[in-house]
Amino acid sequence: MGDSRETFGPNAFVTGYPVKHSRSPLIHGHWLRTLGLAGSYRAHEVSPDDFPTFIAALKNGSSGFVGGNVTIPHKETAFKLADRPDDLSVELGSSNTLWLQDGLLHATNTDGRGFTVNLDERHPGWDRTGRVVILGAGGASRAIIQAVRDRGIGEIHVVNRTVERAQELADRFGQRIHAHPMAALAEAMRDAGLFVNTTSLGMDGEAAPQIDFSPLAKNAVVTDIVYVPLKTPLLAQAEEQGFAIVDGLGMLLHQAVPGFEKWFGKRPVVDEALRAIIIADMEKH
Ligand code: ATR
């Protein structure tokens, strides 16, 4: 027998290309179940060519969805096609969360919020530093730069293999952002209280470069947005060198909260039971 709750209530999606690896259905499915809410959340693969038609059907109500999450490669197009992107999305040029409200398609980007709420939970006080180092200058880096800047951190140093991409972000996000090539990593790290890896280095068990974290402030925290494995090679190195570490799984979980509340009307909580579900799924694959 199917789940009768899916027959009623709002329907939401996660779309990407591909989307089958997304763990968002597990997260939202857990919340729907534990909160006892009617509704559904499912993965819905849409190719880039078909994406505008999908959004048109969402806007005119014929898709049957009230909104959803958008992942790679649709975040920029979702932002462009939304009727009411919020200020965070406008500055980033990308949206990961969509919802219909009064017949208009609203959009926001919750990645940066997911990042800061995870750190608040796992390492409260992380924002007392005046200096943060962010490795990488891709889409994830942007959202984190924005969120860390909006927290009021004095200096944000973005270090990237292709320094031009880091410079673009410095130009976009304002005077407190500084761009550096990889060769300047040690110097950029000096006395920083937070080190963030936003690159794919060390993902899925791939080898990562050795990093000497000793230039960081003594009480610094090191975090990685990669969460497979949970303890990435960079986090393992940082821990061995005596630094506090925070894994990236919480960012994934916390970025999901605002969307769920928009679509299903209740604010869910990120708890250990949810973490355990995702960790068990990671161990299966
Ligand atoms: P995302 O949107 O997920 O952040 P992305 O836009 O592809 O992904 O960005 C990936 C980041 O990882 C970039 O900062 C990239 O550096 P470049 O801008 O120089 O390409 C970085 N990256 C990926 N592989 C890397 C490697 N082997 N060494 C150093 N940096 C790497």
Side-chain angles (χ1 to χ4, degrees):
M1 273 209 4
D3 188 335
S4 60
R5 280 177 298 132
E6 291 188 14
T7 322
F8 311 102
N11 300 309
F13 60 81
V14 53
T15 186
Y17 193 70
V19 79
K20 63 176 181 293
H21 299 298
S22 171
R23 293 196 166 88
S24 294
L26 276 177
I27 299 170
H28 293 279
H30 170 75
W31 285 333
L32 284 169
R33 262 194 322 280
T34 52
L35 290 168
L37 295 174
S40 74
Y41 181 100
R42 54 182 180 270
H44 188 80
E45 189 161 289
V46 179
S47 72
D49 282 350
D50 292 337
F51 193 70
T53 310
F54 175 72
I55 293 296
L58 176 62
K59 285 187 187 184
N60 70 26
S62 64
S63 73
F65 290 119
V66 297
N69 285 127
V70 176
T71 185
I72 294 167
H74 300 318
K75 290 185 186 186
E76 287 80 17
T77 318
F79 156 69
K80 289 186 190 134
L81 296 176
D83 302 310
R84 292 283 184 275
D86 71 355
D87 292 348
L88 293 174
S89 290
V90 170
E91 189 183 34
L92 290 170
S94 82
S95 301
N96 72 344
T97 303
L98 304 176
W99 69 98
L100 288 170
Q101 196 175 308
D102 302 326
L104 294 174
L105 187 61
H106 290 247
T108 187
N109 194 309
T110 65
D111 286 333
R113 174 197 181 276
F115 177 81
T116 51
V117 175
N118 182 42
L119 275 183
D120 287 340
E121 196 176 281
R122 301 261 147 186
H123 199 87
W126 68 269
D127 56 349
R128 279 186 216 123
T129 183
R131 187 176 172 108
V132 166
V133 178
I134 300 178
L135 185 59
S141 175
R142 289 173 176 225
I144 291 171
I145 291 170
Q146 184 189 53
V148 168
R149 181 202 62 192
D150 289 352
R151 220 15 129 70
I153 304 298
E155 288 180 28
I156 300 166
H157 295 269
V158 182
V159 180
N160 199 44
R161 179 177 59 182
T162 314
V163 70
E164 292 78 12
R165 289 187 84 194
Q167 189 56 51
E168 273 170 34
L169 299 190
D171 295 342
R172 176 185 284 247
F173 292 101
Q175 290 177 356
R176 282 185 279 139
I177 324 302
H178 307 272
H180 308 273
M182 280 295 220
L185 180 62
E187 188 52 36
M189 285 164 78
R190 194 164 306 283
D191 294 327
L194 172 66
F195 179 100
V196 188
N197 176 42
T198 73
T199 73
S200 47
L201 292 172
M203 195 167 177
D204 284 325
E206 274 178 40
Q210 280 296 124
I211 294 187
D212 173 11
F213 290 100
S214 64
L216 293 176
K218 279 208 169 44
N219 62 350
V221 56
V222 175
T223 187
D224 201 326
I225 66 157
V226 173
Y227 61 90
V228 183
L230 221 42
K231 192 182 285 185
T232 64
L234 284 184
L235 291 182
Q237 287 178 37
E239 189 173 55
E240 272 164 31
Q241 294 175 37
F243 291 95
I245 59 170
V246 173
D247 67 62
L249 179 54
M251 177 178 173
L252 171 78
L253 305 178
H254 283 288
Q255 64 76 29
V257 168
F260 186 94
E261 189 175 17
K262 293 281 182 208
W263 312 314
F264 304 113
K266 267 203 173 168
R267 193 166 187 81
V269 291
V270 170
D271 58 12
E272 285 304 317
L274 179 59
R275 264 182 80 85
I277 286 171
I278 305 301
I279 290 169
D281 184 68
M282 282 159 54
E283 282 165 1
K284 266 196 263 165
H285 299 287

